[in-house]
Amino acid sequence: MPAASRTRGRAPRRLDSASTCWTTSISCGRIASARGWPAGAGCVGVLGPRHAQRGLADIMPGGSGGGVQELEWDGTVVWDFTYSNVPGHLQHHDVEMLPNGNVLMIAWEGISAAGATAAGRNPALIQGPTFYPDHIIEVQKTGPTSGAIVWSWHVMDHVIQDFDPTRPDFGVVADHPELLDLNYPLQPASDWNHVNSIDYHAEFDQILLSSHNQNEVWIIDHSTTTVEAAGHTGGNSGKGGDLLYRWG
């Protein structure tokens, strides 16, 4: 199929909790290919006309994925990357292709309830044995089923809290809009942020994230190294991985 005739594929859609999840590729108003995954697949993201999130398990809240597939228009799988090691981490919701061919993915990372409490999370707001904040990984394809994580950003590196004064991240929340309140929203949850979409601005080298549970959109700097992304300095902005902008 000539490249000029291609259009963006339709996002995969789940018809209901008991149905197969389908993704379709559209060209010139006709379906070029269709793929289905079993019920429970987190098929809610598309990288472009040939990329789709692959659902692996229905073990987390809505949007659970666990991997990404790259498909040819005839349905041939050319890349099949898994990022699922529950309770350690699990890819979910959206993905974004970068101009260099790497892929940005949203994922949960599991922290024990004790670890979350040690960070300053109010124990009354921890639901279950594991606390799941979000992180972002950038994956460089290295083979048909493999990839190298070449950059990452973790929400937990950019938090503040006013619950436990003995913790190093204790402070006045209102004075630090670049950080996230570890105890907001004020309701028990294991899936803390539930980031469900990601986009990339190539000119500014910035990433936009949408957090369902914080009811906000965030912009972070992608020009940092992974070490800088874990801190508060570095990158084009000079602010490391702190939030550059938030609205909600």
Side-chain angles (χ1 to χ4, degrees), residues 157-180:
D157 290 328
H158 306 281
V159 299
I160 188 169
Q161 52 85 26
D162 56 8
F163 172 75
D164 188 343
T166 68
R167 305 304 176 186
D169 57 0
F170 179 81
V172 180
V173 173
D175 290 346
H176 293 278
E178 77 280 8
L179 303 176
L180 293 167

Side-chain angles (χ1 to χ4, degrees), residues 85-189:
N85 183 21
V86 177
H89 56 258
L90 181 70
Q91 179 272 337
H92 66 91
H93 282 93
D94 202 9
V95 287
E96 176 72 11
M97 172 74 82
L98 296 178
N100 63 5
N102 293 352
V103 182
L104 293 173
M105 304 181 191
I106 303 167
W108 287 295
E109 61 178 333
I111 299 174
S112 68
T117 300
R121 176 81 169 175
N122 183 342
L125 300 179
I126 298 175
Q127 187 177 59
T130 308
F131 181 59
Y132 288 98
D134 278 312
H135 67 295
I136 308 300
I137 59 171
E138 177 183 343
V139 180
Q140 180 183 54
K141 290 177 278 187
T142 58
T145 60
S146 62
I149 297 175
V150 297
W151 183 87
S152 64
W153 176 87
H154 300 255
V155 168
M156 287 298 289
D157 290 328
H158 306 281
V159 299
I160 188 169
Q161 52 85 26
D162 56 8
F163 172 75
D164 188 343
T166 68
R167 305 304 176 186
D169 57 0
F170 179 81
V172 180
V173 173
D175 290 346
H176 293 278
E178 77 280 8
L179 303 176
L180 293 167
D181 184 353
L182 186 56
N183 291 301
Y184 180 84
L186 296 174
Q187 58 189 26

Side-chain angles (χ1 to χ4, degrees), residues 58-83:
D58 192 17
I59 54 178
M60 289 290 292
S64 304
V68 171
Q69 288 183 335
E70 179 179 354
L71 309 176
E72 293 290 359
W73 286 95
D74 63 2
T76 302
V77 178
V78 296
W79 188 54
D80 192 347
F81 178 77
T82 298
Y83 193 67

Side-chain angles (χ1 to χ4, degrees), residues 47-62:
L47 281 170
R50 297 189 303 135
H51 297 76
Q53 177 178 320
R54 184 190 65 182
L56 290 182
D58 192 17
I59 54 178
M60 289 290 292

